[in-house]
């Protein structure tokens, strides 16, 4: 079954179809409002969704205490965003959950080779909080706290999942090294964004240009970095990528770096 997706006075270039089962009509109103909020937060940050059509599938999980315990992007035709949800969660609980922003952010870059999955997941992890900050869902102080705590979890997991980043990323599921992969990738984009901002650019500006000119369904990590560098007229991406993909340690990201991006996106 499906129900209508709409935002009053807002028109999206992407056709969005919402699929669901066993969700009451009264809950659908709340869920539509939440999905509308999330799509608007992400598109106002990263630009219009680059797909002509997507499906958002809601799977009701009664036994969970979280609003959205799991999400994934299924790359097909059309692309599908599948979300496990507790349909009885409140609207504020849904809005404060990062999963929807994370999964929608995935749609702005290609599906990469497994050794480069730290870029896929790092980008979505970073952008989930950028979108929440940019849309005033969280404030700059909350942004700094959430990102800082995530980086701490990533560093802790690095000790439990040793090895070179590309190799760990390639075997992330068996090793259950998600936090290392996600947050090392997020650290990469925080570091890159700091460099871009000091050059008068930003990650979101690069993505806006990339989705207009160059987005493909699949790519490799190094090719994506080269594309980004070509757009930004820099070597920031490839140079930083070469420092990261074989590293065995967790990168050091300072509070000053996190606060710089928080100030930038809170004011733009």
């Amino acid at each position: 079954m499906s129900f209508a997706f709409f935002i009053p006075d807002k028109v999206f270039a992407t056709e969005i179809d919402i699929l669901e089962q066993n969700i009451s009509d009264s809950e659908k109103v709340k869920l539509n409002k939440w999905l509308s909020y999330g799509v608007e937060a992400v598109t106002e940050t990263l630009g219009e969704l680059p797909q002509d059509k997507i499906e958002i599938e809601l799977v009701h999980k009664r036994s969970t205490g979280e609003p959205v315990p799991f999400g994934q992007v299924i790359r097909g035709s059309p692309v599908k965003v599948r979300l496990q949800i507790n349909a009885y969660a409140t609207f504020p609980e849904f809005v404060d959950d990062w999963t929807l922003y994370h999964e929608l952010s995935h749609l702005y870059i290609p599906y990469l080779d497994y050794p480069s999955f730290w870029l896929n997941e790092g980008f979505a992890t970073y952008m989930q909080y950028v979108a929440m900050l940019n849309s005033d869902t969280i404030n700059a102080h909350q942004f700094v706290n959430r990102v800082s705590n995530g980086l701490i979890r990533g560093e802790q997991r690095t000790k439990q999942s040793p090895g070179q980043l590309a190799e760990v990323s390639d075997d992330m599921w068996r090793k259950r090294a998600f936090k290392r992969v996600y947050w090392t990738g997020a650290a990469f984009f925080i570091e890159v964004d700091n460099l871009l901002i000091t050059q008068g650019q930003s990650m979101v500006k690069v993505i806006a240009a990339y989705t207009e000119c160059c987005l493909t369904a699949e790519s490799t990590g190094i090719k994506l970095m080269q594309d980004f560098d070509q757009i930004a007229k820099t070597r920031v991406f490839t140079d930083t990528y070469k420092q990261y993909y074989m590293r065995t340690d967790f990168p050091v990201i300072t509070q000053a770096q996190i606060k710089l991006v928080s100030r930038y996106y809170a004011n733009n």
Side-chain angles (χ1 to χ4, degrees), residues 58-86:
L58 303 178
V59 180
H60 182 35
K61 303 290 285 186
R62 297 176 181 272
S63 59
T64 180
E66 300 176 70
V68 193
F70 180 76
Q72 66 180 138
V73 170
I74 301 171
R75 307 266 183 168
S77 183
V79 172
K80 178 182 290 186
V81 177
R82 177 177 290 163
L83 301 167
Q84 291 183 2
I85 64 165
N86 173 7

Side-chain angles (χ1 to χ4, degrees), residues 19-200:
L19 311 177
E20 54 78 25
Q21 290 184 351
N22 302 321
I23 296 177
S24 68
D25 289 342
S26 60
E27 301 299 340
K28 290 177 187 177
V29 174
K30 172 186 64 186
L31 293 170
N32 185 90
K33 183 181 178 183
W34 162 56
L35 294 175
S36 301
Y37 183 98
V39 171
E40 187 165 20
V42 172
T43 56
E44 286 190 351
T45 302
L46 292 172
E48 292 289 349
L49 291 167
Q51 293 77 22
D52 294 330
K53 179 179 180 178
I54 68 168
E55 294 177 344
I56 300 178
E57 181 181 27
L58 303 178
V59 180
H60 182 35
K61 303 290 285 186
R62 297 176 181 272
S63 59
T64 180
E66 300 176 70
V68 193
F70 180 76
Q72 66 180 138
V73 170
I74 301 171
R75 307 266 183 168
S77 183
V79 172
K80 178 182 290 186
V81 177
R82 177 177 290 163
L83 301 167
Q84 291 183 2
I85 64 165
N86 173 7
Y88 304 126
T90 65
F91 175 72
E93 288 173 332
F94 277 118
V95 167
D96 193 54
D97 185 280
W98 54 264
T99 313
L100 176 60
Y101 314 104
H102 180 100
E103 300 305 334
L104 291 175
S105 295
H106 273 305
L107 305 184
Y108 290 82
I109 65 173
Y111 189 83
L112 302 176
D113 54 303
Y114 286 169
S116 299
F117 252 44
W118 58 277
L119 290 169
N120 279 112
E121 296 299 347
F123 175 78
T125 300
Y126 178 47
M127 283 301 157
Q128 74 196 28
Y129 291 125
V130 170
M132 294 175 80
L133 175 61
N134 190 59
S135 61
D136 294 324
T137 305
I138 59 176
N139 60 35
H141 179 71
Q142 291 170 313
F143 175 92
V144 171
N145 282 344
R146 295 190 188 195
V147 170
S148 298
N149 289 335
L151 292 169
I152 291 170
R153 293 194 297 272
E155 183 176 17
Q156 291 171 342
R157 187 64 205 184
T158 300
K159 300 173 184 176
Q160 300 166 353
S161 303
Q164 295 176 337
L165 178 59
E167 294 177 357
V168 173
S169 182
D170 188 33
D171 200 18
M172 174 179 68
W173 296 270
R174 188 182 67 82
K175 293 179 180 292
R176 300 198 62 78
F178 304 106
K179 290 179 182 177
R180 178 188 176 184
V181 171
Y182 283 42
W183 282 102
T184 304
F188 169 86
F189 283 103
I190 293 169
E191 186 171 337
V192 166
D193 215 359
N194 267 258
L195 296 170
L196 291 172
I197 290 169
T198 60
Q199 296 173 4

Side-chain angles (χ1 to χ4, degrees), residues 219-234:
S219 188
T220 64
I222 187 60
K223 177 63 166 61
L224 181 64
M225 297 299 97
Q226 291 167 348
D227 289 343
F228 285 170
D229 271 340
Q230 187 172 7
I231 289 168
K233 295 180 173 56
T234 181

